[in-house]
Amino acid sequence: MIKTPPFFSIITASYNSEKTIKKTIESLLNQTFINFEYIIIDGGSKDSTLEIIKSFEKKFSEKNIVLKHLSEPDNGIYDAWNKGLKLAQGEWISFIGSDDFYELNALELYYKNIEINQNINFISSKINIINSENIIVRTVGEKFNYEEIIRNMNIAQVGAFHKRELFDKIGDFSLEYKIAGDLEFYTRTKDVFLPGYFETITAHMLNEGVSNLIYDAQNEARKLKLKKHLLPIHLVYFTFYKSLLISYIKKILNKN
């Protein structure tokens, strides 16, 4: 009997995530749409992350949801994502951080919107960015626009799904970047993306992950834009300092 591939593959990169990954996994386990597989690529955690992951194996099996996981040293989040891509069997692929979580109907909403818009190969939604107390800091997410992405990365991976053919066409994530690898990926999509979008909030992203290291993230994006000549030099520096200023102002306001 030939097994039908899942509709979605969801990939999580983890490392010493014992404080948060349980909530992430539970948000997948309790989805209203279950035609998906969940892949966790752990970087060799030293805490109880692996024990937490393994404790869910039976629960996923009881729901006929495939849970795959491996643990070994890696070269950062994009290396882990690429390992996940090699294991992925789904038609559509997304990435959720080990400190993020989905709304329980998120996959159902993505499925319905994809079925309505079958000519697309990328779809995104809105997400909430939250702090460690689960308070909403801001809401982000807009329809993919190449020029806007280059100026200001306004799509979070946890709020987006990619049709697997995209990776066949433009390749995996570059390991040259530690934080801006998803931006570098999007720079290769100009002639191949057929984006869809819906305005519902589907996920919550903790404002303390790797890509939320404000200066490092903006600085790596600046170097990428200069290297690939994505914008005139004066615009690269203008957007760099503008983004830094806005980010720091928001950070100060959210503390008060």
Side-chain angles (χ1 to χ4, degrees):
M1 181 177 178
I2 300 175
K3 192 172 183 179
T4 304
F7 193 78
F8 294 123
S9 292
I10 317 296
I11 298 170
T12 291
S14 66
Y15 182 73
N16 290 346
S17 304
E18 64 180 6
K19 294 181 180 179
T20 58
I21 198 168
K22 183 174 184 287
K23 190 169 186 176
T24 305
I25 298 173
E26 286 176 340
S27 80
L28 270 301
L29 178 66
N30 296 315
Q31 285 294 306
T32 57
F33 180 90
I34 62 170
N35 186 9
F36 71 94
E37 63 178 0
Y38 186 31
I39 302 167
I40 304 175
I41 308 297
D42 181 75
S45 291
K46 307 302 181 185
D47 61 5
S48 62
T49 298
L50 280 179
E51 287 72 21
I52 294 170
I53 295 170
K54 291 177 181 178
S55 73
F56 280 92
E57 290 176 334
K58 183 178 179 182
K59 295 176 183 178
F60 274 83
S61 178
E62 288 172 348
K63 288 194 171 185
N64 293 316
I65 302 171
V66 173
L67 172 63
K68 303 175 184 177
H69 59 86
L70 65 84
S71 181
E72 62 186 20
D74 57 44
N75 292 315
I77 188 170
Y78 301 113
D79 185 31
W81 285 2
N82 287 343
K83 290 179 181 180
L85 287 171
K86 288 180 173 61
L87 295 176
Q89 300 294 314
E91 183 179 353
W92 287 81
I93 299 171
S94 188
F95 306 87
I96 182 171
S98 61
D99 49 9
D100 306 335
F101 58 94
Y102 283 128
E103 288 287 328
L104 298 185
N105 64 341
L107 300 190
E108 182 179 356
L109 289 171
Y110 275 107
Y111 176 76
K112 288 179 177 178
N113 278 276
I114 289 169
E115 287 295 289
I116 294 171
N117 302 283
Q118 295 196 11
N119 62 323
I120 62 175
N121 57 21
F122 175 87
I123 188 168
S124 59
S125 67
K126 288 187 176 294
I127 69 156
N128 286 331
I129 296 178
I130 61 174
N131 63 21
S132 57
E133 298 176 348
N134 284 327
I135 296 173
I136 298 172
V137 175
R138 63 186 184 277
T139 300
V140 300
E142 299 176 16
K143 184 173 181 178
F144 183 89
N145 177 282
Y146 181 82
E147 287 74 21
E148 183 60 30
I149 286 288
I150 298 305
R151 288 193 298 269
N152 175 38
M153 182 73 174
N154 59 3
I155 292 177
Q157 287 290 357
V158 68
F161 273 82
H162 314 68
K163 202 165 187 179
R164 67 176 302 113
E165 66 185 31
L166 282 174
F167 297 101
D168 297 331
K169 289 180 179 179
I170 62 178
D172 295 347
F173 293 96
S174 170
L175 301 187
E176 182 178 351
Y177 302 94
K178 297 298 182 183
I179 304 175
D182 41 355
L183 174 59
E184 191 282 330
F185 176 82
Y186 288 139
T187 66
R188 293 180 262 139
T189 65
K190 186 175 183 179
D191 298 322
V192 296
F193 254 28
L194 300 170
Y197 171 74
F198 59 101
E199 290 195 343
T200 310
I201 293 168
T202 59
H204 305 266
M205 183 174 77
L206 188 64
N207 196 29
E208 297 176 4
V210 171
S211 60
N212 291 304
L213 300 172
I214 296 172
Y215 178 80
D216 291 344
Q218 298 292 350
N219 193 44
E220 195 168 88
R222 176 186 64 84
K223 292 178 180 178
L224 167 62
K225 292 172 187 178
L226 289 172
K227 180 179 179 180
K228 289 201 168 193
H229 307 289
L230 299 172
L231 291 171
I233 293 176
H234 71 280
L235 280 182
V236 171
Y237 281 97
F238 174 77
T239 56
F240 170 65
Y241 288 114
K242 178 184 176 182
S243 296
L244 273 184
L245 180 61
I246 292 173
S247 296
Y248 282 124
I249 289 173
K250 287 180 177 178
K251 189 172 183 180
I252 291 170
L253 291 175
N254 289 324
K255 284 184 176 179
N256 296 331

